Amino acid sequence: MALIGVSRDTGEGALNILQHLLSYGYQGRIYPVNPSASEILGMKTYSSIAQVGENIDLAVIATPRSLVPRLVKECSDSGIHSVVVVAQGFTDASDAEGTRLQKQITDIVQSGETRVLGPNTFGTANAFINFSSSFVRIGMKKQPVGIICQTGVFFVGFPEAMLIGKGIDLGNACDIDFADGLEYFKADTETNTVALHIEGVQDTKRFIDTARRITPMKPLVALKAGRSDQAAKAAQSHTGSLIGRNEVWEAALRQAGVTQAGDLEELIDLARTFAVLPLMERPEIGVVTISGALGIVAIDDCQRFSLEIGGLSADTKRLLDAMSPSWLDVGNPVDIWPAMMISPTVMKPLADGLESLLSDDQVGGVLFIGAAFDEKWSIGLCQLLTELATAHQDKPLACCIYGPCGNQAIGELQNSGRVAGFPTPERAVRALARLSEYSQLRRIL
Amino acid sequence: MALIGVSRDTGEGALNILQHLLSYGYQGRIYPVNPSASEILGMKTYSSIAQVGENIDLAVIATPRSLVPRLVKECSDSGIHSVVVVAQGFTDASDAEGTRLQKQITDIVQSGETRVLGPNTFGTANAFINFSSSFVRIGMKKQPVGIICQTGVFFVGFPEAMLIGKGIDLGNACDIDFADGLEYFKADTETNTVALHIEGVQDTKRFIDTARRITPMKPLVALKAGRSDQAAKAAQSHTGSLIGRNEVWEAALRQAGVTQAGDLEELIDLARTFAVLPLMERPEIGVVTISGALGIVAIDDCQRFSLEIGGLSADTKRLLDAMSPSWLDVGNPVDIWPAMMISPTVMKPLADGLESLLSDDQVGGVLFIGAAFDEKWSIGLCQLLTELATAHQDKPLACCIYGPCGNQAIGELQNSGRVAGFPTPERAVRALARLSEYSQLRRIL
């Protein structure tokens, strides 16, 4: 790969693509291009693409915008088929010059075999080959989540989740668009869930057609940004995206089987849930809670997000009754705390209760609500939950973990690749509700 | 204080009120009562309340339920005016015995001066005197947030926030009810914000009357749990609460000036926001963002939560224009990243941009959207934001901090006591929208 316009700024805080790329441990060959330097970070630099004189698979262009069309042409003439344009100031700019420059790039692309990602993009990220063209140093993780977005925000990540297994930032999407990204992830065996952050799509029909072919195989979750008029106007100056009417978008995404997130938090929650949980074979869930109050909150949440709290089988009820104090009327949600209080080993009723619900044919998925009181408790709890989920890989287990060590436990559960963890019941219920909807859809697709 | 029914189980994992209380550093005198032991945790135990022979302000009863009425009577006879009943199995139980036992407690209370908190409660927590009667070890923090709840969950806390400055768990609320808790917090100078988790209220009229007298002085934020029919039924067996119709509740809370949270996450977000931010003098906010994409998301969020993105003064626009590339059409939200990219010091445009919005008379509050890329960046960012908020104590500053060190930054901002931090724009916008509504209400109350 060639890096055109590599910065001579290096060291801590420098926005240097080459420096970051080397730090990830990327194994491919890199040719830095900068006519004003002979060496950057110990690597020989080249004055131009032509001077490299090797076969190049990918060129990343990070120069002032005025130079970009000529450089794209040079790449195309040199037989480079993939170009990422990081530079800003094209249709994302307010001036006519930006639009003119982007038009020049599009013209070059249309007349040859070269495809362009961007401009105004972080490019791509791929944890499986330790690669990213991001000018901000990012963290990646080999996980089965792919994301197609119009911003580098998802590369940088969120406090609650690092989503980047593989990422494609379309930026202004002058050439490579959502449908191209979807085709990639459709074929990609390392990805089982695809998240989309959409400001606008150039060829909506092709996008919806492609999405419709993927959703019977892999879940797509999408956040449509720029839904309000004011936001749509702002999106025009962010990535030059033309945004269709929101109602049309919603209907089209629904038809294509795409799960729609109401906000950013839901997009993140759904992506990480769909990536680790199996489909739900029945729409009713069973709830085990150590807090009666949060059990009640979860019932409200189930009503709000259209998820059913089902009945329990006679066997399950018998087992739960036997371990609980006689004054407790065991139902679903199962309040397991009283049983824990009268048991010599506090974790035993918890394990038995969860096991019985995970084995119950009347239950399609299980929600556990519990606390991580301290570090030791948290470790034991995560171990128990991971073991149970591993023994019941056909039934989704989502957890709300409150308490001071909750974040740590949620992270650990997510890392197990088997359990989805959340800080509140509502987020766990919302994720299970969407999983249930998608599971039902999969049966008829 | 007397602890009646102190457990002989001690050490790690023991649910021992005395052990926890000693660990917090509570300075009051403690009299453990347990007729089967002479010493627990190095402290002399007493066989009964009568044997203590000292003036006791508070008795905490944690025995099997059958003993409780007799013990409450003993406390009452010994002149103890405050009793916490931790024991479960009263109106929260499904059997007639539970209801009968609770009735006995109520009868004792009605005939004397003794007041009872509970049964089925964690009791109280007060970070300012290192006290809690919780049988789970909890973390407390001297912060101006008081909570009145019907569960110990808020004492244990959530991954995202430790709310307990002062807490009152009403449990089954056989005597002390929401109105009593509100009267306490109304007079309490250490509390500026009160959060409520309500399953049901015995005397609704008194509750609403009391709330109405507080909201002109201090914000009340409330989550009404048990809103669905199924949840209302479950609440009956959780705390024996009779739950009124949801629509009636909503109207009553609105009339009393109580800010209602749609879910648990919102309750937590609002409590910590109201506790640290000043009121908003104008309903329009200004947004500074390092991500154009999240600026667009924030606009959608403002529409969703009814918050206005206002205009900027001519001075502010001039300053922002001067620091931005010529191709950028500066508006609100202010996309500050292009200015940062062309500045020799990346933080300078950020500081100047935020300063100009915080000083702009047309802006009632400021939302900052930025990333904590790494630890060093995070520390610098938090320092900048805290300094700005300290210099502008009349204008609320809420932040969405994404990126891998976001949680750390959010925690640090919260600890500063001046800035409210959130992991996504929607949560920051939602909190500012509710703050704006309450601020408008305060002007007419």
Side-chain angles (χ1 to χ4, degrees), chain A residues 15 94 151 153 156-157 160 226-228 231 235 238 263-265 291 293 300 303-304 327 341 373 403-404 426-427, chain B residues 15 94 136 151 153 156-157 160 226-228 231 238 263-265 291 293 296 300 303-304 327 341 403-404 426-427:
Chain A
L15 298 171
S94 62
T151 166
V153 164
V156 177
E160 300 193 329
R227 283 172 289 185
S228 58
H238 176 236
D263 57 29
L264 203 54
E265 181 175 87
S291 154
D300 279 337
Q303 166 136 339
R304 180 173 160 205
W327 53 259
M341 285 301 89
F373 296 108
E426 56 251 12
R427 284 170 61 182
Chain B
L15 299 171
S94 62
V136 172
T151 167
V153 163
V156 177
E160 301 194 328
R227 283 171 290 184
S228 58
H238 176 237
D263 57 30
L264 203 54
E265 182 175 86
S291 155
I296 292 161
D300 279 337
Q303 167 136 338
R304 182 173 160 205
W327 53 259
M341 285 301 89
E426 57 251 13
R427 285 170 61 184

Side-chain angles (χ1 to χ4, degrees), chain A residues 20-336:
Chain A
H20 301 323
L21 194 44
L22 294 171
S23 77
Y24 304 138
Y26 173 62
Q27 296 295 310
R29 295 187 67 177
I30 306 167
Y31 303 100
V33 177
N34 185 329
S36 323
S38 60
E39 183 254 15
I40 295 175
L41 291 162
M43 295 186 74
K44 173 183 181 335
T45 60
Y46 299 81
S47 62
S48 69
I49 281 290
Q51 206 216 334
V52 174
E54 304 271 352
N55 276 335
I56 295 170
D57 299 313
L58 170 71
V60 175
I61 302 176
T63 64
R65 65 176 184 174
S66 59
L67 306 176
V68 173
R70 185 177 57 75
L71 289 166
V72 172
K73 183 75 170 60
E74 275 180 39
C75 290
S76 176
D77 291 346
S78 309
I80 300 173
H81 289 176
S82 303
V83 175
V84 170
V85 179
V86 173
Q88 288 192 302
F90 296 86
T91 54
D92 50 303
S94 62
D95 61 358
E97 179 65 4
T99 309
R100 201 181 61 80
L101 288 167
Q102 186 163 318
K103 175 75 167 48
Q104 288 181 11
I105 301 173
T106 316
D107 288 344
I108 297 161
V109 167
Q110 277 169 348
S111 62
E113 284 178 275
T114 299
R115 302 294 307 269
V116 169
L117 180 64
N120 185 24
T121 178
F122 275 48
T124 63
N126 184 340
F128 297 81
I129 58 165
N130 303 310
F131 175 86
S132 178
S133 54
S134 167
F135 53 86
V136 172
R137 179 159 159 68
I138 64 168
M140 297 180 276
K141 215 176 113 197
K142 288 190 181 93
Q143 55 190 352
V145 179
I147 187 151
I148 313 175
C149 49
Q150 297 193 262
T151 166
V153 164
F154 293 96
F155 285 40
V156 177
F158 288 88
E160 300 193 329
M162 186 193 296
L163 283 187
I164 290 292
K166 299 189 180 186
I168 304 170
D169 175 4
L170 299 177
N172 295 2
C174 83
D175 175 28
I176 292 174
D177 200 359
F178 280 95
D180 301 297
L182 286 177
E183 291 289 0
Y184 172 81
F185 284 123
K186 179 167 173 278
D188 182 42
T189 54
E190 287 160 334
T191 302
N192 70 15
T193 302
V194 185
L196 307 171
H197 158 262
I198 306 169
E199 289 188 353
V201 172
Q202 311 293 327
D203 185 344
T204 317
K205 190 178 172 329
R206 188 175 155 233
F207 165 67
I208 294 293
D209 286 347
T210 314
R212 188 183 286 129
R213 283 185 291 111
I214 299 179
T215 48
M217 301 154 45
K218 294 179 187 183
L220 299 183
V221 297
L223 175 67
K224 179 65 184 67
R227 283 172 289 185
S228 58
D229 291 348
Q230 202 184 349
K233 197 170 148 259
Q236 166 68 28
S237 71
H238 176 236
T239 52
S241 294
L242 289 173
I243 287 189
R245 273 192 43 221
N246 192 37
E247 299 74 19
V248 180
W249 263 105
E250 281 193 6
L253 289 172
R254 204 177 308 119
Q255 272 202 358
V258 177
T259 302
Q260 293 174 69
D263 57 29
L264 203 54
E265 181 175 87
E266 188 176 2
L267 182 75
I268 298 165
D269 281 352
L270 293 182
R272 58 194 191 81
T273 300
F274 283 40
V276 300
L277 296 192
L279 295 177
M280 256 174 88
E281 289 186 15
R282 289 177 65 107
E284 301 91 357
I285 64 160
V287 183
V288 174
T289 177
I290 71 164
S291 154
L294 293 189
I296 291 161
V297 166
I299 300 172
D300 279 337
D301 297 333
C302 282
Q303 166 136 339
R304 180 173 160 205
F305 297 113
S306 302
L307 188 64
E308 233 175 282
I309 296 190
L312 303 176
S313 73
D315 278 357
T316 303
K317 281 202 81 137
R318 208 171 303 122
L319 183 138
L320 293 167
D321 270 334
M323 65 172 78
S324 300
S326 60
W327 53 259
L328 189 75
D329 193 9
V330 175
N332 186 12
V334 179
D335 186 355
I336 204 78

